[in-house]
Amino acid sequence: NVFACMALGRIMNLLCYITLTYWAIKKLPIYRNLMAAVALLPLTIYQAASYSYDAMLNGLCFLFVGLCFHYAYGEMEKPLNWKNVIWLGVILALLFLCKYVYVCLGLLAFLIPKKKFSSRKDYWKSFGIALIPIVFILTLYGINFSVASSKAAVSMGETAEIAEFGMTQLDYVKSNPFAVIKVLGKSVKTYFNMYVFQLNILGWLRYPLDVLQTIVPCFLVAVACLDTINIRQKVRAWHKLVFAAAGGITIALSMLGLYLLDTVANPVGVATVSGYQSRYAIPCLVILLGIFTSGKMENRIEHFSVKVIGGMVIFLAYALLMLVNACY
Protein backbone atom coordinates (compact mmCIF):
# COMPACT_ATOMS: atom_id res chain seq x y z
CA ASN A 1 0.00 0.00 0.00
CA VAL A 2 0.94 3.65 -0.25
CA PHE A 3 1.94 3.97 3.42
CA ALA A 4 4.27 0.95 3.18
CA CYS A 5 5.89 2.37 0.02
CA MET A 6 6.43 5.74 1.74
CA ALA A 7 7.93 4.06 4.82
CA LEU A 8 10.19 1.88 2.66
CA GLY A 9 11.29 4.93 0.67
CA ARG A 10 12.27 6.77 3.85
CA ILE A 11 14.16 3.73 5.16
CA MET A 12 16.09 3.41 1.90
CA ASN A 13 16.81 7.14 1.95
CA LEU A 14 18.28 6.79 5.44
CA LEU A 15 20.38 3.77 4.45
CA CYS A 16 21.69 5.67 1.42
CA TYR A 17 22.61 8.65 3.62
CA ILE A 18 24.35 6.43 6.18
CA THR A 19 26.37 4.67 3.47
CA LEU A 20 27.50 7.88 1.75
CA THR A 21 28.36 9.59 5.05
CA TYR A 22 30.25 6.52 6.28
CA TRP A 23 32.40 6.55 3.12
CA ALA A 24 32.94 10.29 3.53
CA ILE A 25 34.14 10.03 7.15
CA LYS A 26 36.28 7.00 6.31
CA LYS A 27 38.03 8.97 3.54
CA LEU A 28 38.59 12.08 5.65
CA PRO A 29 42.15 12.50 6.93
CA ILE A 30 41.06 15.56 8.98
CA TYR A 31 37.85 16.97 10.50
CA ARG A 32 36.37 13.51 11.08
CA ASN A 33 34.74 14.40 14.38
CA LEU A 34 33.44 17.67 12.94
CA MET A 35 31.71 15.88 10.07
CA ALA A 36 30.35 13.24 12.45
CA ALA A 37 28.86 15.94 14.69
CA VAL A 38 27.28 17.78 11.72
CA ALA A 39 25.99 14.49 10.31
CA LEU A 40 24.24 13.77 13.61
CA LEU A 41 22.53 17.14 14.06
CA PRO A 42 18.79 16.63 14.59
CA LEU A 43 17.86 18.48 11.39
CA THR A 44 20.41 16.45 9.39
CA ILE A 45 18.95 13.17 10.66
CA TYR A 46 15.42 14.45 10.00
CA GLN A 47 16.41 15.15 6.40
CA ALA A 48 18.17 11.80 6.09
CA ALA A 49 15.07 9.88 7.20
CA SER A 50 12.65 11.89 5.07
CA TYR A 51 11.22 11.14 1.64
CA SER A 52 13.14 14.07 0.19
CA TYR A 53 16.15 13.77 -2.15
CA ASP A 54 17.96 16.05 0.31
CA ALA A 55 19.09 12.85 2.06
CA MET A 56 21.11 11.81 -0.98
CA LEU A 57 22.14 15.42 -1.62
CA ASN A 58 23.65 15.81 1.87
CA GLY A 59 25.35 12.42 1.66
CA LEU A 60 26.84 13.21 -1.76
CA CYS A 61 28.08 16.61 -0.54
CA PHE A 62 29.74 15.00 2.47
CA LEU A 63 31.33 12.39 0.20
CA PHE A 64 32.60 15.06 -2.19
CA VAL A 65 34.18 16.99 0.69
CA GLY A 66 35.65 13.75 2.04
CA LEU A 67 37.23 12.84 -1.32
CA CYS A 68 38.62 16.35 -1.89
CA PHE A 69 40.21 16.39 1.56
CA HIS A 70 41.47 12.83 1.08
CA TYR A 71 43.21 13.77 -2.16
CA ALA A 72 44.47 17.08 -0.78
CA TYR A 73 45.64 16.10 2.73
CA GLY A 74 45.78 12.32 2.82
CA GLU A 75 48.86 10.18 2.33
CA MET A 76 48.76 8.58 -1.12
CA GLU A 77 50.41 5.20 -1.71
CA LYS A 78 50.75 6.08 -5.40
CA PRO A 79 50.20 9.21 -7.52
CA LEU A 80 46.66 10.26 -8.34
CA ASN A 81 45.31 9.80 -11.85
CA TRP A 82 42.10 10.37 -13.79
CA LYS A 83 40.52 7.22 -12.32
CA ASN A 84 40.62 8.87 -8.89
CA VAL A 85 39.51 12.33 -9.96
CA ILE A 86 36.68 11.12 -12.23
CA TRP A 87 34.67 10.38 -9.08
CA LEU A 88 34.68 14.08 -8.25
CA GLY A 89 33.16 14.84 -11.66
CA VAL A 90 30.51 12.13 -11.27
CA ILE A 91 29.49 13.38 -7.82
CA LEU A 92 29.31 17.00 -9.04
CA ALA A 93 27.11 15.89 -11.94
CA LEU A 94 24.77 14.14 -9.49
CA LEU A 95 24.70 17.26 -7.30
CA PHE A 96 23.75 19.32 -10.35
CA LEU A 97 20.83 16.98 -11.00
CA CYS A 98 19.66 17.38 -7.40
CA LYS A 99 20.24 21.12 -6.89
CA TYR A 100 22.63 22.78 -9.30
CA VAL A 101 23.77 25.47 -6.86
CA TYR A 102 25.83 22.88 -4.92
CA VAL A 103 28.16 22.52 -7.90
CA CYS A 104 29.95 25.51 -6.32
CA LEU A 105 31.46 23.03 -3.85
CA GLY A 106 33.63 22.03 -6.79
CA LEU A 107 35.93 24.91 -5.78
CA LEU A 108 37.36 22.49 -3.20
CA ALA A 109 39.11 20.68 -6.06
CA PHE A 110 41.62 23.56 -6.10
CA LEU A 111 42.92 22.23 -2.78
CA ILE A 112 44.42 19.19 -4.52
CA PRO A 113 48.10 19.99 -5.22
CA LYS A 114 49.82 19.14 -8.50
CA LYS A 115 52.51 17.20 -6.63
CA LYS A 116 49.95 14.47 -5.86
CA PHE A 117 50.04 13.57 -9.57
CA SER A 118 52.92 12.01 -11.47
CA SER A 119 53.27 15.09 -13.69
CA ARG A 120 51.72 18.46 -14.48
CA LYS A 121 50.35 17.01 -17.72
CA ASP A 122 48.65 14.18 -15.82
CA TYR A 123 47.16 16.77 -13.45
CA TRP A 124 45.41 18.70 -16.23
CA LYS A 125 44.47 15.52 -18.06
CA SER A 126 42.81 14.09 -14.95
CA PHE A 127 40.68 17.16 -14.29
CA GLY A 128 39.84 17.44 -18.00
CA ILE A 129 38.42 13.92 -17.91
CA ALA A 130 36.64 14.67 -14.63
CA LEU A 131 34.76 17.49 -16.35
CA ILE A 132 33.22 15.11 -18.92
CA PRO A 133 30.22 14.06 -16.73
CA ILE A 134 29.48 17.70 -15.89
CA VAL A 135 29.71 18.81 -19.53
CA PHE A 136 27.42 15.95 -20.53
CA ILE A 137 24.81 16.92 -17.94
CA LEU A 138 25.08 20.61 -18.86
CA THR A 139 24.53 19.74 -22.53
CA LEU A 140 21.37 17.79 -21.74
CA TYR A 141 20.25 20.61 -19.47
CA GLY A 142 20.89 23.19 -22.17
CA ILE A 143 18.80 21.29 -24.73
CA ASN A 144 15.70 21.68 -22.59
CA PHE A 145 16.58 25.07 -21.10
CA SER A 146 15.08 27.22 -23.85
CA VAL A 147 11.73 25.45 -23.66
CA ALA A 148 11.66 25.50 -19.86
CA SER A 149 12.73 29.15 -19.66
CA SER A 150 10.04 30.24 -22.12
CA LYS A 151 7.38 28.47 -20.07
CA ALA A 152 8.78 29.99 -16.87
CA ALA A 153 8.77 33.44 -18.45
CA VAL A 154 5.11 33.09 -19.32
CA SER A 155 4.31 31.80 -15.83
CA MET A 156 6.25 34.58 -14.09
CA GLY A 157 4.70 37.15 -16.39
CA GLU A 158 1.30 36.05 -15.19
CA THR A 159 2.08 35.70 -11.49
CA ALA A 160 5.09 37.86 -10.57
CA GLU A 161 4.39 40.84 -8.42
CA ILE A 162 5.43 44.25 -9.72
CA ALA A 163 6.68 46.85 -7.30
CA GLU A 164 5.30 50.34 -7.11
CA PHE A 165 8.17 51.58 -9.27
CA GLY A 166 7.21 49.06 -12.00
CA MET A 167 9.89 46.34 -12.18
CA THR A 168 10.26 42.63 -11.47
CA GLN A 169 12.64 41.21 -8.88
CA LEU A 170 15.17 40.35 -11.59
CA ASP A 171 15.03 43.92 -12.91
CA TYR A 172 15.59 45.19 -9.37
CA VAL A 173 18.65 42.95 -8.92
CA LYS A 174 20.13 44.06 -12.24
CA SER A 175 19.68 47.71 -11.42
CA ASN A 176 20.82 47.39 -7.77
CA PRO A 177 23.57 44.73 -7.61
CA PHE A 178 25.21 46.19 -4.51
CA ALA A 179 21.85 46.47 -2.75
CA VAL A 180 21.44 42.70 -3.17
CA ILE A 181 24.72 42.10 -1.32
CA LYS A 182 23.35 44.24 1.50
CA VAL A 183 20.11 42.22 1.46
CA LEU A 184 22.00 38.93 1.82
CA GLY A 185 24.12 40.28 4.67
CA LYS A 186 21.12 41.70 6.50
CA SER A 187 19.25 38.41 6.08
CA VAL A 188 22.03 36.44 7.76
CA LYS A 189 22.26 38.99 10.58
CA THR A 190 18.48 39.12 11.11
CA TYR A 191 17.71 35.40 10.94
CA PHE A 192 20.95 33.90 12.28
CA ASN A 193 19.38 32.81 15.58
CA MET A 194 16.51 31.19 13.71
CA TYR A 195 18.93 29.35 11.41
CA VAL A 196 20.81 27.94 14.40
CA PHE A 197 17.55 26.98 16.11
CA GLN A 198 16.35 25.11 13.02
CA LEU A 199 19.48 22.95 13.01
CA ASN A 200 18.51 21.52 16.38
CA ILE A 201 14.92 20.44 15.78
CA LEU A 202 13.32 17.49 14.04
CA GLY A 203 11.38 19.16 11.26
CA TRP A 204 9.18 21.79 12.91
CA LEU A 205 8.72 19.92 16.19
CA ARG A 206 9.32 22.08 19.25
CA TYR A 207 10.14 20.26 22.46
CA PRO A 208 10.60 21.64 26.00
CA LEU A 209 14.35 22.25 26.24
CA ASP A 210 14.27 26.03 26.00
CA VAL A 211 17.76 27.44 25.46
CA LEU A 212 19.41 24.00 25.81
CA GLN A 213 17.82 23.03 22.52
CA THR A 214 20.27 25.37 20.81
CA ILE A 215 23.20 25.29 23.21
CA VAL A 216 23.78 21.52 23.51
CA PRO A 217 24.29 20.59 19.82
CA CYS A 218 26.08 23.86 19.07
CA PHE A 219 28.43 23.28 22.00
CA LEU A 220 29.24 19.78 20.80
CA VAL A 221 29.86 20.99 17.25
CA ALA A 222 32.06 23.79 18.61
CA VAL A 223 34.05 21.26 20.65
CA ALA A 224 34.40 19.15 17.51
CA CYS A 225 36.01 22.16 15.86
CA LEU A 226 38.79 21.84 18.42
CA ASP A 227 39.70 18.47 16.96
CA THR A 228 42.87 19.64 15.26
CA ILE A 229 44.44 16.20 14.76
CA ASN A 230 46.51 16.02 11.57
CA ILE A 231 45.72 19.56 10.38
CA ARG A 232 48.97 21.17 11.54
CA GLN A 233 51.12 22.15 8.53
CA LYS A 234 48.39 20.86 6.22
CA VAL A 235 45.52 23.36 6.29
CA ARG A 236 47.00 26.68 5.28
CA ALA A 237 45.43 30.15 5.37
CA TRP A 238 44.62 30.18 1.64
CA HIS A 239 42.96 26.77 2.03
CA LYS A 240 40.51 28.34 4.46
CA LEU A 241 39.82 31.05 1.91
CA VAL A 242 38.79 28.27 -0.48
CA PHE A 243 36.58 26.81 2.28
CA ALA A 244 34.92 30.20 2.74
CA ALA A 245 34.48 30.74 -1.00
CA ALA A 246 32.96 27.30 -1.66
CA GLY A 247 30.57 27.41 1.31
CA GLY A 248 29.78 31.13 1.15
CA ILE A 249 29.04 31.22 -2.58
CA THR A 250 26.83 28.13 -2.32
CA ILE A 251 24.75 29.65 0.49
CA ALA A 252 24.63 33.09 -1.15
CA LEU A 253 23.37 31.66 -4.46
CA SER A 254 20.76 29.57 -2.62
CA MET A 255 19.44 32.71 -0.93
CA LEU A 256 19.61 34.68 -4.17
CA GLY A 257 17.61 31.97 -5.95
CA LEU A 258 14.83 32.26 -3.38
CA TYR A 259 14.99 36.04 -3.59
CA LEU A 260 14.49 35.96 -7.36
CA LEU A 261 12.03 33.11 -7.78
CA ASP A 262 9.81 33.19 -4.70
CA THR A 263 8.04 36.48 -5.39
CA VAL A 264 5.28 35.66 -2.90
CA ALA A 265 7.60 35.49 0.13
CA ASN A 266 9.98 38.05 -1.34
CA PRO A 267 8.19 41.00 -2.99
CA VAL A 268 10.22 43.25 -5.25
CA GLY A 269 12.79 45.28 -3.31
CA VAL A 270 12.24 43.55 0.06
CA ALA A 271 15.07 44.17 2.55
CA THR A 272 15.69 40.54 3.62
CA VAL A 273 15.34 37.09 2.07
CA SER A 274 12.41 35.09 3.43
CA GLY A 275 12.06 31.34 3.07
CA TYR A 276 15.70 30.32 3.46
CA GLN A 277 16.01 27.29 5.75
CA SER A 278 18.98 25.86 7.62
CA ARG A 279 18.72 22.57 5.77
CA TYR A 280 20.07 24.28 2.66
CA ALA A 281 23.33 25.03 4.50
CA ILE A 282 23.95 21.56 5.95
CA PRO A 283 26.31 20.46 3.11
CA CYS A 284 28.45 23.57 3.71
CA LEU A 285 28.75 23.38 7.51
CA VAL A 286 31.84 21.16 7.64
CA ILE A 287 33.97 23.44 5.45
CA LEU A 288 32.61 26.64 7.00
CA LEU A 289 33.22 25.44 10.56
CA GLY A 290 36.62 24.15 9.48
CA ILE A 291 37.66 27.78 9.01
CA PHE A 292 37.71 28.26 12.79
CA THR A 293 40.06 25.36 13.54
CA SER A 294 43.70 26.01 14.27
CA GLY A 295 46.75 23.77 14.09
CA LYS A 296 48.22 25.71 17.01
CA MET A 297 45.77 24.10 19.43
CA GLU A 298 46.41 20.60 20.68
CA ASN A 299 43.56 18.29 21.60
CA ARG A 300 44.34 16.17 24.67
CA ILE A 301 40.81 14.96 25.44
CA GLU A 302 40.77 11.19 25.88
CA HIS A 303 38.26 9.24 23.79
CA PHE A 304 37.33 12.49 22.08
CA SER A 305 35.37 10.92 19.21
CA VAL A 306 33.29 8.74 21.50
CA LYS A 307 32.36 11.67 23.74
CA VAL A 308 31.39 14.04 20.92
CA ILE A 309 29.37 11.49 18.98
CA GLY A 310 27.89 10.10 22.21
CA GLY A 311 26.69 13.57 23.20
CA MET A 312 25.02 14.09 19.83
CA VAL A 313 23.35 10.66 20.03
CA ILE A 314 21.97 11.37 23.51
CA PHE A 315 20.50 14.70 22.38
CA LEU A 316 19.08 13.09 19.25
CA ALA A 317 17.55 10.26 21.31
CA TYR A 318 15.76 12.82 23.47
CA ALA A 319 14.47 14.58 20.38
CA LEU A 320 13.16 11.27 19.03
CA LEU A 321 11.47 10.53 22.36
CA MET A 322 9.70 13.89 22.23
CA LEU A 323 8.66 13.19 18.64
CA VAL A 324 7.15 9.81 19.57
CA ASN A 325 5.32 11.32 22.54
CA ALA A 326 3.96 14.14 20.35
CA CYS A 327 2.70 11.73 17.68
CA TYR A 328 1.50 8.81 19.79
Side-chain angles (χ1 to χ4, degrees):
N1 58 44
V2 175
F3 177 79
C5 289
M6 290 287 291
L8 182 61
R10 296 182 67 171
I11 291 172
M12 297 307 296
N13 238 4
L14 179 60
L15 291 177
C16 178
Y17 169 79
I18 291 173
T19 303
L20 292 172
T21 305
Y22 169 77
W23 285 346
I25 295 176
K26 187 176 181 180
K27 288 291 184 182
L28 275 176
I30 57 175
Y31 298 148
R32 282 188 171 185
N33 292 304
L34 178 57
M35 180 172 284
V38 172
L40 288 171
L41 283 170
L43 181 60
T44 312
I45 296 298
Y46 179 83
Q47 288 293 110
S50 70
Y51 204 67
S52 168
Y53 58 82
D54 284 345
M56 179 176 287
L57 174 69
N58 292 339
L60 287 172
C61 288
F62 289 158
L63 182 58
F64 183 82
V65 172
L67 284 177
C68 284
F69 284 7
H70 175 63
Y71 296 154
Y73 305 119
E75 299 295 332
M76 300 288 107
E77 296 181 358
K78 55 183 180 180
L80 296 174
N81 54 42
W82 69 269
K83 294 180 180 179
N84 303 112
V85 184
I86 188 67
W87 287 109
L88 299 180
V90 171
I91 295 173
L92 279 181
L94 292 174
L95 291 178
F96 183 88
L97 291 175
C98 291
K99 289 182 180 178
Y100 51 82
V101 69
Y102 292 99
V103 173
C104 298
L105 293 177
L107 291 172
L108 295 176
F110 288 103
L111 297 172
I112 305 175
K114 294 184 179 68
K115 65 181 181 181
K116 292 292 184 77
F117 296 81
S118 57
S119 65
R120 182 183 295 268
K121 180 181 178 181
D122 195 38
Y123 173 85
W124 292 110
K125 174 185 173 183
S126 298
F127 281 98
I129 295 175
L131 288 175
I132 293 176
I134 303 175
V135 172
F136 178 73
I137 294 298
L138 287 174
T139 302
L140 293 178
Y141 182 81
I143 292 174
N144 298 313
F145 179 76
S146 58
V147 177
S149 61
S150 62
K151 291 181 179 180
V154 173
S155 176
M156 290 186 67
E158 295 175 350
T159 60
E161 294 186 14
I162 305 297
E164 294 180 0
F165 37 90
M167 60 172 60
T168 64
Q169 193 77 288
L170 182 59
D171 294 331
Y172 175 77
V173 170
K174 290 180 179 179
S175 60
N176 301 276
F178 294 105
V180 174
I181 298 176
K182 184 178 180 180
V183 167
L184 296 179
K186 186 175 181 180
S187 300
V188 173
K189 181 180 179 181
T190 303
Y191 300 116
F192 182 78
N193 290 338
M194 183 187 71
Y195 296 152
V196 174
F197 178 80
Q198 287 179 355
L199 288 173
N200 304 312
I201 60 177
L202 290 173
W204 298 106
L205 176 68
R206 298 175 182 270
Y207 30 85
L209 273 181
D210 296 327
V211 71
L212 289 178
Q213 182 168 326
T214 299
I215 289 178
V216 173
C218 290
F219 171 75
L220 292 172
V221 172
V223 172
C225 286
L226 299 178
D227 183 14
T228 57
I229 298 174
N230 296 328
I231 76 165
R232 185 171 296 178
Q233 297 179 346
K234 288 186 177 181
V235 180
R236 304 177 184 277
W238 73 268
H239 292 175
K240 293 186 177 182
L241 290 177
V242 176
F243 295 173
I249 292 174
T250 301
I251 292 176
L253 290 181
S254 299
M255 298 180 73
L256 182 60
L258 283 170
Y259 191 71
L260 292 175
L261 299 178
D262 190 354
T263 55
V264 176
N266 299 289
V268 178
V270 68
T272 58
V273 181
S274 298
Y276 187 84
Q277 300 175 28
S278 297
R279 61 190 178 94
Y280 304 142
I282 288 174
C284 307
L285 289 181
V286 175
I287 56 177
L288 290 179
L289 292 172
I291 297 172
F292 301 101
T293 59
S294 173
K296 297 180 180 180
M297 294 184 294
E298 184 176 355
N299 179 11
R300 297 183 179 181
I301 303 176
E302 295 183 359
H303 308 294
F304 182 80
S305 299
V306 176
K307 291 178 180 178
V308 171
I309 297 175
M312 295 301 294
V313 169
I314 291 173
F315 187 85
L316 180 63
Y318 180 83
L320 288 172
L321 178 62
M322 293 297 99
L323 177 63
V324 172
N325 289 337
C327 295
Y328 302 102

